[in-house]
C-alpha cells in the first residue's frame, strides 16, 4: 500500500478511473497543487494509473500512466485510493465494489451509484476497513455532504429546499427572464453546453432525485432510496405559467424538497411556485443552492456552481486529501455510523401544500361556482382567482386559482371532479406552491 518516500515520509497512490473533463481536471489539480496537498495531507498523493476507454486519444498526461485494464489499478499494491469519475451506474458500481474488496479507499462523484447503492457500499467499505467519500456527488464544488455529516450533525434538520440541477434551473431562468417556451429554452441550453444531447435525466427530475436521496439520507439519519422520491419534471411548464407567477409575486423553480415530520420523511422533486422574495427564487442560471433548516442553526443557504470540471475537482481533491490524512494517521474505516431504515416515507398523497391551477373554461354563467364547489367539497379553500377577458371567438376564458394549504389526496380528487365538469375545457397546469 502506501509507499515510503524520502525515508520516513509516506506517499499515497491514486488510481483514477475516467479521464473526461472532470478526471482530466483532477489529474491536473493533483499535479499543480502537489505542494499544498503535501502540506495538508502530510505526504504526497501520487497519480499512479489512469483508466481510460480509448488509449489512442491525445491527452495532456504522461502516457505511461494510461491503461485500459481495470486490474492495473485494482491489482496495484501502491494504489491506496481509487477515484471514480466515470459516471453512470455501470460499470462504475462494479469498479467501486472491486476497489473496496481489494482494500482500497474510494472517492466518487457518482450520484447515481451513491443514491442507488450507497448504503450497501458504505457497509461493505466498513467491513473492509476502508472509506468512501462522495462530496462531489451533489452540488459539484458546494460543500454539502461534509456539512450534513459533520458540521450540522448536532441539529435536528427539519427541511431541505434545494435547486440541485443546473440544467433545469438554466432552462427555467430562460423561460422566466426571456419569455421562451420550454423547447427553445432547452435547445438554447444544449447549444451552450449546459444540457446534454439526451437531457431526460435532468428534465424529468431524476438527476435531482438521486441527489435528494443522498442529502435526505444524511440529513435525517435514515435511508432514502431514489424510488422513494416523488418526481415530476419541467417539460409540461408553459410560458403562461411564468407570466402568472410574476403577476402573483412568485418564481417557478424545480425544487428538491425533503421534510421530516414525526419520524416520517417527505421527499419530492417537482416544479414549484416560491415567493419571489425568497433567496432561492433569486438563484438563476446553472447555479445550485441548498437551503437547510436545523433546530440549532436555523436556516442556512449553500450556494455555488453545482457542476463543471473545476468545482467538481475541488470537492474530489478535498476528499483525496481527507483520505490521505487518515491513511497517514493509520485510521481505518469511517467514524460515521451506518444508516438504517428508521423513518417511514410520507406518500405524496399525504403531503399538505398550497396549489396553483390554470384552466380553460367555457365562459358561461355559473362556471366559477361549479369549480369552487368541486374544491369546497374536498375542504380546499381558494386564496385568490384571476380571470382574464375571454377569447370572444372561442368563448373560452382562462382562470387561475391559488388555494390555501390542502391535502394532496383531496386536491387530486377535486381535480378529477373538475375535469368532469362539462364547461371545464382543460386543466392546463397544476403546480404546487411552497411558501
Ligand atoms: N446534470 C447536472 C446538472 C450536473 O445539470 O446540474 C451533474 O450532476
Amino acid at each position: 500500500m502506501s509507499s515510503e518516500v524520502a525515508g520516513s515520509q509516506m506517499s499515497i497512490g491514486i488510481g483514477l478511473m475516467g479521464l473526461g473533463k472532470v478526471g482530466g481536471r483532477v489529474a491536473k489539480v493533483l499535479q499543480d497543487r502537489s505542494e499544498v496537498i503535501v502540506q495538508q495531507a502530510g505526504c504526497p498523493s501520487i497519480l499512479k494509473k489512469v483508466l481510460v476507454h480509448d488509449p489512442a486519444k491525445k491527452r495532456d498526461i504522461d502516457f505511461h500512466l494510461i491503461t485500459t485494464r481495470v486490474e492495473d489499478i485494482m491489482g496495484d499494491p501502491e494504489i491506496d485510493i481509487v477515484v471514480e469519475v466515470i459516471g453512470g451506474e455501470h460499470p462504475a458500481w462494479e469498479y467501486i465494489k472491486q476497489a473496496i474488496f481489494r482494500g482500497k479507499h474510494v472517492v466518487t462523484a457518482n450520484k447515481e451509484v451513491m443514491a442507488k447503492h450507497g448504503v450497501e457500499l458504505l457497509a461493505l467499505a466498513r467491513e473492509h476497513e476502508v472509506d468512501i467519500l462522495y462530496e462531489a456527488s451533489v452540488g459539484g464544488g458546494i460543500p454539502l455532504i461534509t456539512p450534513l455529516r459533520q458540521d450540522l450533525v448536532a441539529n435536528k434538520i427539519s427541511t431541505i429546499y434545494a435547486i440541485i440541477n443546473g440544467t433545469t434551473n438554466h432552462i427555467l431562468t430562460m423561460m422566466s427572464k426571456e419569455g421562451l417556451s420550454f423547447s427553445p429554452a432547452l435547445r438554447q441550453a444544449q447549444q451552450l453546453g449546459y444540457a446534454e444531447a439526451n437531457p431526460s435525466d435532468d428534465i424529468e427530475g431524476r438527476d435531482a432525485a438521486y441527489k435528494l436521496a443522498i442529502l435526505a439520507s444524511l440529513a435525517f439519519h435514515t435511508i432514502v432510496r431514489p424510488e422513494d422520491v416523488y418526481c415530476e419534471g419541467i417539460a409540461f411548464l408553459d410560458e403562461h405559467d411564468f407570466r402568472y407567477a410574476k403577476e402573483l409575486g412568485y418564481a417557478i423553480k424545480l425544487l428538491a424538497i425533503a421534510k421530516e415530520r414525526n419520524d416520517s420523511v417527505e421527499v419530492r422533486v417537482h416544479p414549484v411556485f416560491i415567493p419571489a422574495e425568497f433567496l432561492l427564487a433569486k438563484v438563476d442560471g446553472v447555479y445550485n443552492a441548498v437551503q437547510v433548516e436545523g433546530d440549532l442553526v436555523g436556516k442556512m443557504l449553500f450556494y455555488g456552481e453545482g457542476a463543471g470540471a473545476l468545482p467538481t475537482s475541488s470537492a474530489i481533491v478535498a476528499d483525496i486529501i481527507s483520505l490521505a490524512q487518515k491513511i497517514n494517521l493509520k485510521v481505518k474505516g469511517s467514524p460515521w455510523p451506518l444508516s438504517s431504515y428508521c423513518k417511514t416515507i410520507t406518500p405524496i398523497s399525504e403531503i399538505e401544500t398550497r396549489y396553483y391551477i390554470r384552466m380553460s373554461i367555457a365562459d358561461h354563467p355559473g362556471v366559477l361556482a361549479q369549480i369552487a364547489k368541486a374544491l369546497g367539497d374536498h375542504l380546499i379553500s381558494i386564496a385568490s382567482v384571476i380571470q382574464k377577458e375571454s377569447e370572444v371567438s372561442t368563448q373560452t376564458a382562462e382562470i387561475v386559482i391559488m388555494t390555501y394549504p390542502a391535502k394532496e389526496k383531496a386536491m387530486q380528487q377535486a381535480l378529477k371532479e373538475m375535469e368532469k365538469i362539462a364547461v371545464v375545457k382543460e386543466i392546463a397546469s397544476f403546480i404546487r406552491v411552497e411558501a
Side-chain angles (χ1 to χ4, degrees):
M1 295 307 248
S2 333
S3 51
E4 301 289 315
V5 171
S8 62
Q9 197 182 15
M10 290 210 310
S11 77
I12 305 294
I14 312 288
L16 182 60
M17 302 187 119
L19 196 61
K21 285 193 181 125
V22 172
R25 180 54 62 177
V26 168
K28 189 158 167 40
V29 175
L30 284 174
Q31 192 180 32
D32 294 353
R33 310 262 158 112
S34 58
E35 274 178 35
V36 178
I37 294 171
V38 173
Q39 189 193 52
Q40 293 301 316
C43 59
S45 294
I46 315 269
L47 192 55
K48 297 275 184 185
K49 277 278 172 281
V50 182
L51 182 75
V52 300
H53 190 63
D54 174 10
K57 205 164 156 185
K58 215 171 143 32
R59 294 180 171 93
D60 191 14
I61 196 163
D62 177 355
F63 75 92
H64 291 106
L65 298 180
I66 300 285
T67 181
T68 54
R69 293 182 65 240
V70 180
E71 186 53 26
D72 285 348
I73 288 184
M74 301 301 170
D76 184 340
E78 292 194 351
I79 290 181
D80 307 279
I81 302 173
V82 169
V83 179
E84 182 277 309
V85 282
I86 300 166
E89 187 175 8
H90 304 288
W93 176 34
E94 290 77 7
Y95 290 169
I96 292 174
K97 276 193 291 191
Q98 270 191 57
I100 296 170
F101 277 123
R102 305 291 276 266
K104 298 184 191 305
H105 297 275
V106 174
V107 173
T108 179
N110 198 316
K111 67 216 152 195
E112 187 171 353
V113 167
M114 289 313 289
K116 290 182 176 169
H117 310 291
V119 175
E120 293 75 16
L121 289 172
L122 288 162
L124 192 67
R126 191 66 57 91
E127 218 177 280
H128 291 265
E129 299 190 319
V130 292
D131 203 359
I132 310 177
L133 296 185
Y134 51 106
E135 183 60 68
S137 64
V138 185
I142 310 171
L144 291 166
I145 307 292
T146 310
L148 284 174
R149 255 184 165 184
Q150 186 170 308
D151 309 291
L152 299 174
V153 74
N155 286 262
K156 186 164 174 52
I157 308 266
S158 55
T159 314
I160 297 176
Y161 282 134
I163 295 173
I164 38 177
N165 184 269
T167 305
T168 46
N169 203 47
H170 178 81
I171 293 171
L172 297 182
T173 303
M174 286 301 115
M175 292 178 78
S176 169
K177 298 245 186 305
E178 310 284 332
L180 297 183
S181 53
F182 173 74
S183 298
L186 169 60
R187 266 199 304 280
Q188 195 213 60
Q190 284 170 324
Q191 279 155 7
L192 290 169
Y194 296 145
E196 298 187 25
N198 177 359
S200 58
D201 264 10
D202 293 317
I203 63 176
E204 288 166 18
R206 275 190 301 278
D207 175 85
Y210 292 143
K211 294 168 179 169
L212 185 66
I214 294 172
L215 295 182
S217 298
L218 290 169
F220 304 132
H221 309 138
T222 187
I223 297 175
V224 177
R225 302 278 185 183
E227 57 271 24
D228 295 328
V229 181
Y230 174 82
C231 197
E232 279 175 19
I234 62 163
F236 73 90
L237 290 171
D238 186 287
E239 58 268 35
H240 285 74
D241 299 315
F242 287 85
R243 284 207 289 274
Y244 282 115
K246 264 189 206 150
E247 188 172 335
L248 291 159
Y250 289 85
I252 301 178
K253 293 290 179 191
L254 180 72
L255 271 200
I257 300 170
K259 297 183 184 180
E260 191 200 324
R261 304 277 180 269
N262 308 321
D263 278 346
S264 187
V265 171
E266 177 180 324
V267 266
R268 48 196 168 99
V269 171
H270 52 71
V272 288
F273 271 47
I274 48 172
E277 67 272 15
F278 276 22
L279 282 174
L280 284 172
K282 302 179 203 303
V283 174
D284 284 334
V286 288
Y287 276 84
N288 282 196
V290 178
Q291 182 181 297
V292 179
E293 186 164 359
D295 60 345
L296 303 175
V297 79
K299 279 185 188 158
M300 307 195 71
L301 188 73
F302 298 85
Y303 170 84
E305 291 182 49
L310 278 175
T312 308
S313 71
S314 160
I316 290 173
V317 176
D319 279 350
I320 294 173
I321 293 173
S322 171
L323 286 174
Q325 288 165 338
K326 281 174 57 173
I327 297 169
N328 214 5
L329 291 170
K330 306 202 171 10
V331 176
K332 291 191 184 289
S334 164
W336 306 109
L338 290 172
S339 310
S340 62
Y341 285 104
C342 53
K343 290 170 187 165
T344 54
I345 302 293
T346 312
I348 187 73
S349 56
E350 293 305 312
I351 70 153
E352 190 172 297
T353 188
R354 298 178 61 208
Y355 299 90
Y356 156 97
I357 310 157
R358 178 169 59 85
M359 56 183 103
S360 299
I361 53 164
D363 198 1
H364 294 160
V367 174
L368 268 182
Q370 291 180 63
I371 292 166
K373 182 173 182 313
L375 292 167
D377 284 350
H378 292 281
L379 305 177
I380 300 162
S381 181
I382 295 172
S384 65
V385 178
I386 300 176
Q387 180 180 344
K388 304 282 186 196
E389 295 269 316
S390 61
E391 274 277 319
V392 183
S393 57
T394 56
Q395 285 286 292
T396 301
E398 184 165 69
I399 65 164
V400 161
I401 295 176
M402 293 285 270
T403 75
Y404 285 113
K407 272 267 166 74
E408 175 91 10
K409 192 156 84 191
M411 181 46 97
Q412 293 297 345
Q413 283 164 352
L415 282 174
K416 275 200 193 104
E417 278 167 33
M418 286 194 286
E419 272 166 2
K420 285 189 207 137
I421 300 173
V423 285
V424 172
K425 295 191 172 174
E426 187 195 13
I427 298 185
S429 278
F430 163 76
I431 302 174
R432 297 174 189 86
V433 181
E434 290 286 323

